Amino acid sequence: MRLAYLHGFASGPGSTKARFFQERLTALGLTVAVPDLAPDFTHMTIGSMLAIVDAILDRGPSVLIGSSLGGYLATLAAARRPDRVPALVLFAPAFGFAARWEARVGPAAMARWRADGVLPVFHYGRGREEPLAIDFLDDAQRYPDEPDPRCPALVFAGRHDEAVPLPVVERFAHAHPERELVVHDAGHELVEVLAPMWVRTAEFLRAVGAIGR
């Protein structure tokens, strides 16, 4: 079975979590796609990122592993193409991120963003500020805040996550019995609990048939 890792906002294939999970899955002989979801960061949209995920799913069914915005994309792709996504592993999935983005930016900065067309955003994957077009937010508002796929899902969350509130993730995880929530004493990035997350992820992937027993 194929797997794909979807990185978070302003991140990339070289992120700490992406490399950690890719190395361990590859060591088990699995094929893991780790795409750059925003090669053109300025003009990226949910639609453009979904197109990259769709291209992976067109090649065959894939378990999607997603972090933050990548977790949101994974659930959105699974809800849209249930025949192609047999299971999900989600790290602090960014449900409802469009509304939180607008609130965090604030009315004054939102007005400038619309007037200028772009907003400077620090890109952690590239270590510098890059402009982000307002189209990103406008396009995001076309999609559901919380997609509702029906495949099995293992969901991780940090108790001290300030970016994605724990109750938001809990609501998603508790909506269906085939979803399991694991809460760690950690923040949004979850990098301090990579080892225990890998142990539970490997168990889950074995249970869904992605890893041989």
Side-chain angles (χ1 to χ4, degrees):
M1 191 180 296
R2 297 171 181 266
L3 297 98
Y5 184 98
L6 309 181
H7 64 75
F9 176 80
S11 184
S15 73
T16 299
K17 284 200 298 293
R19 288 187 287 106
F20 179 90
F21 281 91
Q22 183 182 31
E23 288 170 2
R24 279 148 186 80
L25 291 166
T26 301
L28 295 176
L30 298 170
T31 300
V32 187
V34 188
D36 184 348
L37 295 171
D40 180 359
F41 181 74
T42 297
H43 299 105
M44 77 168 184
T45 62
I46 296 300
S48 70
M49 290 186 282
L50 271 177
I52 293 171
V53 179
D54 279 337
I56 293 171
L57 299 179
D58 286 343
R59 297 196 288 269
S62 299
V63 174
L64 299 181
I65 303 172
S67 174
S68 193
L69 182 57
Y72 170 80
L73 285 170
T75 61
L76 187 57
R80 289 158 55 97
R81 303 187 67 178
D83 59 320
R84 291 286 177 163
V85 184
L88 294 166
V89 178
L90 309 173
F91 305 125
F95 300 125
F97 76 93
R100 283 198 304 278
W101 245 85
E102 194 162 357
R104 187 180 71 178
V105 170
M110 277 300 305
R112 289 195 300 273
W113 193 1
R114 292 206 172 276
D116 297 342
V118 294
L119 177 76
V121 173
F122 188 80
H123 193 298
Y124 296 95
R126 298 171 188 166
R128 63 176 183 263
E129 275 196 347
E130 294 198 7
L132 177 64
I134 189 64
D135 294 347
F136 170 72
L137 189 61
D138 290 341
D139 180 70
Q141 292 169 343
R142 298 173 46 229
Y143 296 93
D145 283 345
E146 187 178 300
D148 191 30
R150 295 309 175 95
C151 61
L154 175 62
V155 188
F156 293 97
R159 189 168 283 107
H160 311 296
D161 191 333
E162 295 182 354
V164 182
L166 180 57
V168 172
V169 182
E170 287 177 327
R171 182 175 64 243
F172 172 83
H174 296 155
H176 296 290
E178 62 272 22
R179 298 173 186 168
E180 177 186 352
L181 175 64
V182 179
V183 180
H184 284 288
D185 193 27
H188 181 65
E189 297 300 322
L190 296 166
V191 292
E192 61 269 61
V193 289
L194 288 175
M197 288 200 306
W198 164 245
V199 171
R200 185 64 197 93
T201 297
E203 293 171 349
F204 174 78
L205 293 177
R206 286 191 182 92
V208 299
I211 296 176
R213 294 181 180 275

